[in-house]
Amino acid sequence: MDSNACSSIVRLNICGKKFWTTVDTLTQREPQSMLAAMFSGRHAVCKDSDKGYVFVDRDGKHFRHILNWLRDGVARNLYELERLELLELLQEAEYYQLLGLVDKINEVLKVKDEQMNIDLTRTDIVKYVRPLMASRPILKLRGTNLSGLDLSKLDLSGVDFSFTCLKSVNFSHTVLHSAKFVEVDAENAIFQNAMLFECIFTMANLCGAMLAGANFKSADLSSCILRDADLRSAKLLKASLYKANLEGANMEEADLSEANLSQAKLKNANFQHARLYRAILLETCLEDANLEGANLFQAVRRPQDRTNWW
């Protein structure tokens, strides 16, 4: 075989699954991708000492689809894949920064959703999440309809639920550390005793949601709608509730220490025996709010109050 041809052959070991391809295949179709950068000649790649395989620490289950795309720009058999398999492939395409393939997968997902209109089930989510637990990639369920599902007592840490319909979903006792809920519709959802620390809920609709006992430590609930939500005994230490609508919410015995409630709407909210130690209450509307027994020690209610402890 010609020596130039031999030098262009690349052996890949994708977590135990082995593939042969060429440098041209990996670099020409998507020149801005991570694979193109790896084999551009500008970087040294690690090969095993036996047969010269380059090891890549990713799941090789769908890598053949990636190679087919890079070879001829045709993502074969995508329409035959189940939705969850497409989501897995999407994560791999995003990891390798194959923007053309990402667009194609999203196009197929859109067509499948329009044609089938099938919503995910608890079994689907458990089946998809468990194999990913060890490596913890970001699972994206953006824009799906999960309304009414029972997702209680699962570990869904880091999952991206943004723009999803979560009406009446049961997340009680679920671990959701660092999950994203940007602009979700979670009206009447149940998050009782859920672990929600460092979650992002910006502009989410949590109207009437059951959030009693939930841990929102350092969570971002900016501009959330929490009207009539039940937040009894919830832990909101250092949480951001900036511009949140908490009208009629029940915050009895909630811990809002050092929380930011600036410009929040708190009309008719119940803060009986709530802890608001060092909370920021600048420009908040407290009309008819019940603050009986609340701890407001060193709370910031005027700009000049900041000098007391900052």
Side-chain angles (χ1 to χ4, degrees), residues 104-166:
K104 183 64 178 177
I105 296 168
N106 281 324
E107 178 185 316
V108 174
L109 282 168
K110 183 178 179 181
V111 171
K112 276 181 165 284
D113 287 346
E114 290 174 351
Q115 290 178 342
M116 300 177 68
N117 195 29
I118 293 178
D119 300 329
L120 296 176
T121 66
R122 177 185 173 96
T123 302
D124 291 331
I125 292 173
V126 170
K127 177 182 175 182
Y128 187 30
V129 169
R130 282 182 177 168
L132 303 178
M133 291 291 287
S135 56
R136 274 292 181 216
I138 296 174
L139 171 58
K140 296 184 178 180
L141 296 172
R142 297 162 68 100
T144 54
N145 182 5
L146 304 177
S147 58
L149 281 190
D150 179 7
L151 298 178
S152 61
K153 301 179 182 179
L154 297 177
D155 185 349
L156 299 173
S157 299
V159 173
D160 188 350
F161 292 98
S162 299
F163 314 107
T164 298
C165 181
L166 299 173

Side-chain angles (χ1 to χ4, degrees), residues 3 13 32 43 54 98 106 132 153 162 200 216 222 239 287:
S3 60
N13 180 351
Q32 304 304 314
H43 308 285
V54 176
L98 299 166
N106 281 324
L132 303 178
K153 301 179 182 179
S162 299
I200 300 174
F216 287 94
S222 303
E287 184 181 350

Side-chain angles (χ1 to χ4, degrees), residues 13 34 39 59 77 92 112 148-149 152 163 183 220 234 241 245 248 254 277:
N13 180 351
M34 190 191 80
F39 296 96
D59 189 346
N77 304 322
E92 296 306 301
K112 276 181 165 284
L149 281 190
S152 61
F163 314 107
E183 293 189 46
D220 186 355
L241 290 151
N245 186 340
Y277 171 70

Side-chain angles (χ1 to χ4, degrees), residues 53-310:
Y53 280 92
V54 176
F55 179 76
V56 181
D57 191 13
R58 298 293 294 182
D59 189 346
K61 179 180 178 181
H62 300 299
F63 196 75
R64 64 187 181 89
H65 296 296
I66 288 170
L67 282 183
N68 285 335
W69 168 260
L70 290 173
R71 284 168 181 145
D72 52 25
V74 177
R76 299 189 185 99
N77 304 322
L78 287 190
Y79 284 96
E80 297 176 11
L81 296 178
E82 297 292 334
R83 194 179 196 283
L84 290 177
E85 292 178 302
L86 284 169
L87 290 171
E88 290 174 352
L89 178 58
L90 179 61
Q91 288 190 188
E92 296 306 301
E94 289 177 339
Y95 173 80
Y96 292 117
Q97 299 173 32
L98 299 166
L99 302 185
L101 181 56
V102 167
D103 289 342
K104 183 64 178 177
I105 296 168
N106 281 324
E107 178 185 316
V108 174
L109 282 168
K110 183 178 179 181
V111 171
K112 276 181 165 284
D113 287 346
E114 290 174 351
Q115 290 178 342
M116 300 177 68
N117 195 29
I118 293 178
D119 300 329
L120 296 176
T121 66
R122 177 185 173 96
T123 302
D124 291 331
I125 292 173
V126 170
K127 177 182 175 182
Y128 187 30
V129 169
R130 282 182 177 168
L132 303 178
M133 291 291 287
S135 56
R136 274 292 181 216
I138 296 174
L139 171 58
K140 296 184 178 180
L141 296 172
R142 297 162 68 100
T144 54
N145 182 5
L146 304 177
S147 58
L149 281 190
D150 179 7
L151 298 178
S152 61
K153 301 179 182 179
L154 297 177
D155 185 349
L156 299 173
S157 299
V159 173
D160 188 350
F161 292 98
S162 299
F163 314 107
T164 298
C165 181
L166 299 173
K167 286 185 176 181
S168 302
V169 171
N170 183 1
F171 286 109
S172 62
H173 299 276
T174 297
V175 178
L176 291 152
H177 172 54
S178 298
K180 293 182 180 179
F181 295 89
V182 178
E183 293 189 46
V184 298
D185 186 357
E187 187 173 353
N188 297 320
I190 301 170
F191 289 90
Q192 190 168 8
N193 296 312
M195 302 301 290
L196 295 154
F197 35 98
E198 298 180 2
C199 285
I200 300 174
F201 279 89
T202 49
M203 302 180 70
N205 177 14
L206 291 160
C207 186
M210 166 57 77
L211 305 159
N215 188 341
F216 287 94
K217 182 179 178 181
S218 300
D220 186 355
L221 294 114
S222 303
S223 301
C224 270
I225 301 172
L226 288 152
R227 284 196 312 270
D228 302 317
D230 187 343
L231 286 144
R232 288 172 297 168
S233 301
K235 299 172 182 64
L236 291 135
L237 177 67
K238 297 184 179 180
S240 175
L241 290 151
Y242 174 68
K243 288 189 174 181
N245 186 340
L246 287 152
E247 293 180 354
N250 189 351
M251 313 284 288
E252 187 176 350
E253 297 187 359
D255 187 353
L256 292 138
S257 300
E258 300 183 56
N260 183 2
L261 289 147
S262 298
Q263 299 183 43
K265 297 178 181 178
L266 306 176
K267 183 178 180 181
N268 295 317
N270 180 11
F271 287 95
Q272 281 186 295
H273 305 289
R275 182 174 170 81
L276 290 150
Y277 171 70
R278 289 189 174 182
I280 302 171
L281 297 163
L282 296 172
E283 300 179 53
T284 55
C285 175
L286 285 160
E287 184 181 350
D288 297 323
N290 185 349
L291 292 163
E292 182 184 348
N295 180 353
L296 289 156
F297 181 65
Q298 291 190 338
V300 177
R301 285 166 283 179
R302 302 181 303 274
Q304 57 267 36
D305 290 341
R306 294 173 183 265
T307 58
N308 291 342
W309 53 273
W310 275 350

